[in-house]
Amino acid sequence: MSIMRPKTSLLGLAFLTPALLMVILFFLIPVVLTGVFSFTNMSTATGISGGDYMVSPVIIKRLADDPDFDQKLLEQLNATTYKVDDNGFARAVEANLKPAFIKEIKGNLDGKSFKSRRDFERALKKLKSRPRSMRELKLAAEPFSSTILNQRYATIDDLQTAIEALGVSLTDAQRETLFQKAYTGWSWTTENFEKLISKPGTQQILFNTLFYVVVTLILFNVGYALILAVTTFYLPAGQAAIFRALWLLPRITPAVIYVLLWKWTMWDNGFISTITTWFGMEPFNYMKGSVTGAWTSVILINGFVGASMGMLIFSSAINSIPSSMLHASEVDGASRWQQVRHIILPQLKWPILFVTSYQTLSLLTSFEQILLSTNGGPGSSTTVWSLEAYFTALNNYAGNLEYGFGASMALVLVTVGIILSLLYLRLFKFDELVTKPRIEN
């Protein structure tokens, strides 16, 4: 035996290696990267390395809360001026302005500055060779515009030169604050978590997630799945197989088709509204027309998918119970309910632990059915944590995908999932479940 053990251990390690590699590549590394990104300001604007300096309207808005920046200074930074100089003439040539018009501008306006587009356009209108349409006149003014907004500068010196060209004077404290906020590259920060705590909608999204997970898990993924498994156990084998196959349809149907079937049922032109109109009722969108209807549809759509998986696991576990135990209970006069309570349920502690843990993590991280059905609406009433993280990091309507902020939301989900898993192991007394039978000791 002592000779075989090393060989057996090496063979076991060889079989475990692919699984360990999969865990490292597809779990540990993504989790570690998520943790790293959550402490950065990474976004579409920053990219993943390097960085320029860019003053955007959003930054100007944020500076309004800084006591070092008054309204007059912010207006100067936000301003667009027009200066007729050699740089403007060079850009005008590149913009294909008419040579005669450029020559007339140089002869009449060279060296002059204008504080607004309107003033510059008024001056251009006095020239004989000006464009006749207002649209062309506005395009002709662009090459001479001067602004620091939405312009990328490779170095601090370049941005400083552009600010001085506007005639804006900054103190050292103002300059440091502006440069820090204007930097678009990677930087380490804890602002993502501070923003997450202070964001007005965080509490609502947290409540939505808690409500969605708890209700769907208890009513369907565990509760209804257990009812299906027990009831089909007492059916004839053929009928039970057909019934279970029908309940698998929501799981094997592609999510897009599955949700589309629900829309055909619940929308204002769907099956339910078609029937209710026969009785004089107005068509109504039962999926998105009210908060109650939205939550009902979201829980039903996800619940039927989750119940099918739990049903299969519980059914398999029940069928593995020795039939002699059930036969003996019948001889003793036990009813069906007594069999379920005293024989079946005690044997299902391990499957219930697995289904509860797995489905909790699944509900915490899945959002595709919600996205396809209600898109988190009406308003944000059905937006859960994972869906909000998706909107933040991958589908932001504001245009700037906030990878760092989205990663911080994902890291919260990972942390909550780990805590809940440990709690379930404690609650279901996992150590007792894996303990060897006393007879073996």
Side-chain angles (χ1 to χ4, degrees), residues 88-117:
F89 288 123
R91 292 193 294 267
V93 172
E94 294 177 358
N96 295 321
L97 295 186
K98 293 180 180 180
F101 185 38
I102 295 176
K103 183 177 180 181
E104 192 173 3
I105 293 174
K106 192 168 187 177
N108 293 273
L109 304 176
D110 191 16
K112 293 184 178 181
S113 298
F114 302 85
K115 293 184 178 180
S116 67
R117 176 194 289 270

Short mmCIF file of all heavy atoms in Angstrom, two decimals, residues 88-117:
data_model
loop_
_atom_site.label_atom_id
_atom_site.label_comp_id
_atom_site.label_asym_id
_atom_site.label_seq_id
_atom_site.Cartn_x
_atom_site.Cartn_y
_atom_site.Cartn_z
N GLY A 88 -5.23 80.20 -36.54
CA GLY A 88 -6.59 80.18 -37.08
C GLY A 88 -6.59 80.14 -38.59
O GLY A 88 -7.39 79.41 -39.20
N PHE A 89 -5.70 80.90 -39.23
CA PHE A 89 -5.64 80.90 -40.70
C PHE A 89 -5.21 79.53 -41.22
O PHE A 89 -5.71 79.05 -42.25
CB PHE A 89 -4.67 81.99 -41.19
CG PHE A 89 -5.20 83.38 -41.01
CD1 PHE A 89 -4.49 84.33 -40.29
CD2 PHE A 89 -6.41 83.76 -41.58
CE1 PHE A 89 -4.98 85.61 -40.12
CE2 PHE A 89 -6.90 85.04 -41.43
CZ PHE A 89 -6.19 85.98 -40.68
N ALA A 90 -4.28 78.88 -40.51
CA ALA A 90 -3.84 77.55 -40.93
C ALA A 90 -5.00 76.55 -40.85
O ALA A 90 -5.19 75.73 -41.76
CB ALA A 90 -2.67 77.09 -40.06
N ARG A 91 -5.78 76.63 -39.78
CA ARG A 91 -6.93 75.73 -39.66
C ARG A 91 -8.00 76.07 -40.68
O ARG A 91 -8.72 75.18 -41.16
CB ARG A 91 -7.50 75.80 -38.24
CG ARG A 91 -6.57 75.21 -37.17
CD ARG A 91 -7.32 75.01 -35.86
NE ARG A 91 -7.71 76.29 -35.26
CZ ARG A 91 -6.99 76.96 -34.38
NH1 ARG A 91 -5.80 76.49 -33.99
NH2 ARG A 91 -7.42 78.09 -33.87
N ALA A 92 -8.13 77.34 -41.03
CA ALA A 92 -9.11 77.74 -42.03
C ALA A 92 -8.76 77.16 -43.40
O ALA A 92 -9.65 76.75 -44.16
CB ALA A 92 -9.19 79.27 -42.10
N VAL A 93 -7.46 77.14 -43.72
CA VAL A 93 -7.02 76.54 -45.00
C VAL A 93 -7.34 75.05 -44.99
O VAL A 93 -7.83 74.51 -45.99
CB VAL A 93 -5.52 76.79 -45.21
CG1 VAL A 93 -5.03 76.00 -46.44
CG2 VAL A 93 -5.24 78.28 -45.40
N GLU A 94 -7.08 74.38 -43.86
CA GLU A 94 -7.38 72.95 -43.77
C GLU A 94 -8.88 72.69 -43.87
O GLU A 94 -9.31 71.64 -44.35
CB GLU A 94 -6.86 72.39 -42.44
CG GLU A 94 -5.34 72.41 -42.33
CD GLU A 94 -4.86 71.93 -40.97
OE1 GLU A 94 -5.73 71.62 -40.12
OE2 GLU A 94 -3.64 71.86 -40.76
N ALA A 95 -9.70 73.65 -43.42
CA ALA A 95 -11.16 73.51 -43.49
C ALA A 95 -11.71 73.87 -44.86
O ALA A 95 -12.94 73.88 -45.04
CB ALA A 95 -11.82 74.36 -42.42
N ASN A 96 -10.82 74.21 -45.81
CA ASN A 96 -11.21 74.50 -47.19
C ASN A 96 -12.10 75.75 -47.31
O ASN A 96 -13.03 75.80 -48.13
CB ASN A 96 -11.94 73.31 -47.82
CG ASN A 96 -11.05 72.09 -47.97
OD1 ASN A 96 -9.87 72.22 -48.31
ND2 ASN A 96 -11.60 70.92 -47.72
N LEU A 97 -11.81 76.78 -46.48
CA LEU A 97 -12.50 78.05 -46.67
C LEU A 97 -12.00 78.70 -47.96
O LEU A 97 -10.86 78.51 -48.38
CB LEU A 97 -12.26 78.98 -45.49
CG LEU A 97 -12.81 78.54 -44.13
CD1 LEU A 97 -12.61 79.66 -43.11
CD2 LEU A 97 -14.28 78.18 -44.22
N LYS A 98 -12.83 79.50 -48.57
CA LYS A 98 -12.45 80.14 -49.83
C LYS A 98 -11.26 81.08 -49.63
O LYS A 98 -11.24 81.86 -48.67
CB LYS A 98 -13.63 80.93 -50.39
CG LYS A 98 -14.80 80.05 -50.82
CD LYS A 98 -15.94 80.89 -51.36
CE LYS A 98 -17.12 80.01 -51.80
NZ LYS A 98 -18.24 80.82 -52.33
N PRO A 99 -10.25 81.01 -50.50
CA PRO A 99 -9.05 81.86 -50.34
C PRO A 99 -9.39 83.33 -50.27
O PRO A 99 -8.76 84.08 -49.50
CB PRO A 99 -8.23 81.53 -51.59
CG PRO A 99 -8.67 80.14 -51.98
CD PRO A 99 -10.11 80.06 -51.62
N ALA A 100 -10.40 83.78 -51.07
CA ALA A 100 -10.75 85.20 -51.06
C ALA A 100 -11.31 85.61 -49.70
O ALA A 100 -11.03 86.71 -49.19
CB ALA A 100 -11.79 85.48 -52.15
N PHE A 101 -12.09 84.69 -49.08
CA PHE A 101 -12.67 84.99 -47.77
C PHE A 101 -11.58 85.03 -46.71
O PHE A 101 -11.56 85.91 -45.84
CB PHE A 101 -13.72 83.92 -47.44
CG PHE A 101 -14.48 84.18 -46.16
CD1 PHE A 101 -14.86 85.47 -45.80
CD2 PHE A 101 -14.81 83.13 -45.32
CE1 PHE A 101 -15.57 85.69 -44.63
CE2 PHE A 101 -15.51 83.35 -44.15
CZ PHE A 101 -15.89 84.64 -43.81
N ILE A 102 -10.62 84.08 -46.78
CA ILE A 102 -9.50 84.06 -45.82
C ILE A 102 -8.67 85.34 -45.96
O ILE A 102 -8.26 85.95 -44.96
CB ILE A 102 -8.62 82.83 -46.05
CG1 ILE A 102 -9.40 81.55 -45.74
CG2 ILE A 102 -7.37 82.89 -45.18
CD1 ILE A 102 -8.63 80.27 -46.04
N LYS A 103 -8.44 85.75 -47.19
CA LYS A 103 -7.65 86.96 -47.44
C LYS A 103 -8.34 88.20 -46.87
O LYS A 103 -7.70 89.07 -46.27
CB LYS A 103 -7.43 87.13 -48.94
CG LYS A 103 -6.55 88.31 -49.30
CD LYS A 103 -6.31 88.38 -50.80
CE LYS A 103 -5.42 89.57 -51.16
NZ LYS A 103 -5.19 89.64 -52.64
N GLU A 104 -9.67 88.27 -47.03
CA GLU A 104 -10.41 89.42 -46.51
C GLU A 104 -10.42 89.42 -44.98
O GLU A 104 -10.34 90.49 -44.35
CB GLU A 104 -11.84 89.40 -47.04
CG GLU A 104 -12.59 90.69 -46.78
CD GLU A 104 -13.94 90.73 -47.47
OE1 GLU A 104 -14.32 89.72 -48.11
OE2 GLU A 104 -14.63 91.76 -47.35
N ILE A 105 -10.52 88.23 -44.36
CA ILE A 105 -10.47 88.15 -42.89
C ILE A 105 -9.12 88.66 -42.39
O ILE A 105 -9.04 89.42 -41.42
CB ILE A 105 -10.69 86.69 -42.42
CG1 ILE A 105 -12.12 86.23 -42.73
CG2 ILE A 105 -10.44 86.57 -40.92
CD1 ILE A 105 -12.36 84.77 -42.42
N LYS A 106 -8.05 88.24 -43.09
CA LYS A 106 -6.70 88.65 -42.68
C LYS A 106 -6.52 90.15 -42.83
O LYS A 106 -5.87 90.80 -42.00
CB LYS A 106 -5.67 87.90 -43.51
CG LYS A 106 -4.25 88.04 -42.98
CD LYS A 106 -3.31 87.06 -43.66
CE LYS A 106 -1.94 87.08 -43.02
NZ LYS A 106 -1.03 86.08 -43.62
N GLY A 107 -7.11 90.72 -43.88
CA GLY A 107 -6.94 92.14 -44.11
C GLY A 107 -7.72 93.00 -43.15
O GLY A 107 -7.32 94.14 -42.86
N ASN A 108 -8.85 92.51 -42.63
CA ASN A 108 -9.73 93.34 -41.81
C ASN A 108 -9.75 92.97 -40.33
O ASN A 108 -10.03 93.84 -39.49
CB ASN A 108 -11.17 93.24 -42.34
CG ASN A 108 -11.33 93.87 -43.71
OD1 ASN A 108 -11.57 95.07 -43.85
ND2 ASN A 108 -11.19 93.07 -44.76
N LEU A 109 -9.48 91.68 -40.01
CA LEU A 109 -9.66 91.25 -38.63
C LEU A 109 -8.41 90.66 -38.00
O LEU A 109 -8.46 90.19 -36.86
CB LEU A 109 -10.79 90.20 -38.55
CG LEU A 109 -12.15 90.62 -39.11
CD1 LEU A 109 -13.11 89.44 -39.06
CD2 LEU A 109 -12.71 91.79 -38.31
N ASP A 110 -7.28 90.66 -38.69
CA ASP A 110 -6.07 90.01 -38.18
C ASP A 110 -5.65 90.61 -36.83
O ASP A 110 -5.58 91.83 -36.68
CB ASP A 110 -4.94 90.19 -39.19
CG ASP A 110 -3.75 89.30 -38.85
OD1 ASP A 110 -3.93 88.36 -38.03
OD2 ASP A 110 -2.66 89.51 -39.41
N GLY A 111 -5.42 89.70 -35.87
CA GLY A 111 -4.96 90.12 -34.55
C GLY A 111 -6.08 90.44 -33.57
O GLY A 111 -5.81 90.67 -32.39
N LYS A 112 -7.32 90.47 -34.02
CA LYS A 112 -8.43 90.80 -33.13
C LYS A 112 -8.94 89.56 -32.39
O LYS A 112 -8.84 88.45 -32.88
CB LYS A 112 -9.57 91.44 -33.92
CG LYS A 112 -9.22 92.80 -34.51
CD LYS A 112 -10.42 93.43 -35.20
CE LYS A 112 -10.06 94.82 -35.74
NZ LYS A 112 -11.23 95.46 -36.39
N SER A 113 -9.53 89.79 -31.22
CA SER A 113 -10.12 88.71 -30.42
C SER A 113 -11.58 89.03 -30.14
O SER A 113 -11.95 90.21 -30.00
CB SER A 113 -9.36 88.54 -29.10
OG SER A 113 -8.02 88.19 -29.34
N PHE A 114 -12.38 87.99 -30.02
CA PHE A 114 -13.82 88.13 -29.78
C PHE A 114 -14.21 87.19 -28.63
O PHE A 114 -13.79 86.03 -28.59
CB PHE A 114 -14.62 87.81 -31.03
CG PHE A 114 -14.27 88.67 -32.22
CD1 PHE A 114 -13.21 88.33 -33.05
CD2 PHE A 114 -14.97 89.84 -32.48
CE1 PHE A 114 -12.87 89.12 -34.14
CE2 PHE A 114 -14.64 90.64 -33.56
CZ PHE A 114 -13.58 90.29 -34.39
N LYS A 115 -15.02 87.70 -27.71
CA LYS A 115 -15.38 86.93 -26.53
C LYS A 115 -16.48 85.89 -26.78
O LYS A 115 -16.66 85.00 -25.96
CB LYS A 115 -15.82 87.87 -25.41
CG LYS A 115 -14.69 88.74 -24.87
CD LYS A 115 -15.16 89.58 -23.70
CE LYS A 115 -14.01 90.41 -23.14
NZ LYS A 115 -14.46 91.24 -21.98
N SER A 116 -17.19 86.02 -27.89
CA SER A 116 -18.28 85.07 -28.14
C SER A 116 -18.40 84.81 -29.63
O SER A 116 -17.90 85.59 -30.47
CB SER A 116 -19.61 85.61 -27.60
OG SER A 116 -20.02 86.75 -28.34
N ARG A 117 -19.07 83.72 -29.97
CA ARG A 117 -19.29 83.39 -31.37
C ARG A 117 -20.15 84.45 -32.05
O ARG A 117 -19.90 84.80 -33.21
CB ARG A 117 -20.01 82.03 -31.46
CG ARG A 117 -20.37 81.62 -32.89
CD ARG A 117 -21.35 80.48 -32.89
NE ARG A 117 -20.72 79.25 -32.46
CZ ARG A 117 -20.13 78.39 -33.29
NH1 ARG A 117 -20.09 78.63 -34.58
NH2 ARG A 117 -19.60 77.29 -32.82
#
